[in-house]
Amino acid sequence: MEDGTLVYWTRNRLRRMPASGGAFEELWPEQPENRFARHPAALPDSKGVLFRLCDTSCANVMDIWVLDFDPPGAQLITGAVQAWYLDPGYVAFIRPDGAVFALPFDVGPWSPPGPQFRSGRGEDDSRLYPDMSLRPTGRCSCYWETRARR
């Protein structure tokens, strides 16, 4: 993060520690016991992170949340597999069906100021599991992998 800290998940909880090493702090003590935090993505100016909150296997419930560091608190953004913050103020996210969307997002008040819009075409095949990587500039590399669901 820009403030010299690392945010990571372990034991299904979000933690932060200095990049130089030292003690960690648990970031969301109020996290529901039956939900697991995964894949944090930094927001500008080290104000917080986007992250996935899901059920035990991340098979039935997957939502994207934002965690604000000051004042501390978490808020649901949308149901999705993964999300990234993009300048100048969007959250791009990918749904389990492979559809890619962007949502205008104001980092200050932590709330989306407008409706989401589709920015990629998904397939209507429940066996598709999307994976994608985005840079802050919006440059994307994507692939869709067929997996059998259990």
Side-chain angles (χ1 to χ4, degrees), residues 6-128:
L6 301 172
V7 175
Y8 62 99
W9 61 276
T10 185
R11 297 183 181 168
N12 300 310
R13 302 194 68 85
L14 294 175
R15 294 181 175 174
R16 179 171 57 177
M17 66 180 284
S20 59
F24 70 84
E25 68 174 307
E26 195 160 305
L27 290 176
W28 191 24
E30 299 83 18
Q31 176 180 325
E33 290 298 320
N34 61 346
R35 296 289 183 256
F36 301 98
R38 306 251 167 104
H39 308 290
L43 291 172
D45 303 323
S46 303
K47 292 184 177 183
V49 293
L50 295 169
F51 66 97
R52 182 187 333 166
L53 192 67
C54 55
D55 62 0
T56 306
S57 62
C58 285
N60 300 313
V61 177
M62 286 185 277
D63 295 315
I64 300 301
W65 287 65
V66 61
L67 179 65
D68 187 355
F69 293 156
D70 188 28
Q75 179 180 332
L76 173 68
I77 299 294
T78 189
V81 174
Q82 185 69 306
W84 302 263
Y85 177 82
L86 304 175
D87 284 331
Y90 292 92
V91 170
F93 62 93
I94 189 164
R95 295 187 325 202
D97 67 359
V100 180
F101 285 83
L103 178 68
F105 187 79
D106 187 346
V107 177
W110 302 112
S111 61
Q116 64 189 24
F117 58 92
R118 185 177 222 125
S119 58
R121 186 175 152 261
E123 302 294 332
D124 293 327
D125 184 341
S126 62
R127 292 174 298 138
L128 289 175

Side-chain angles (χ1 to χ4, degrees), residues 2 42 44 84-90 92 133-140:
E2 295 172 22
W84 302 263
Y85 177 82
L86 304 175
D87 284 331
Y90 292 92
S133 177
L134 286 175
R135 296 182 181 180
T137 60
R139 187 174 200 111
C140 174

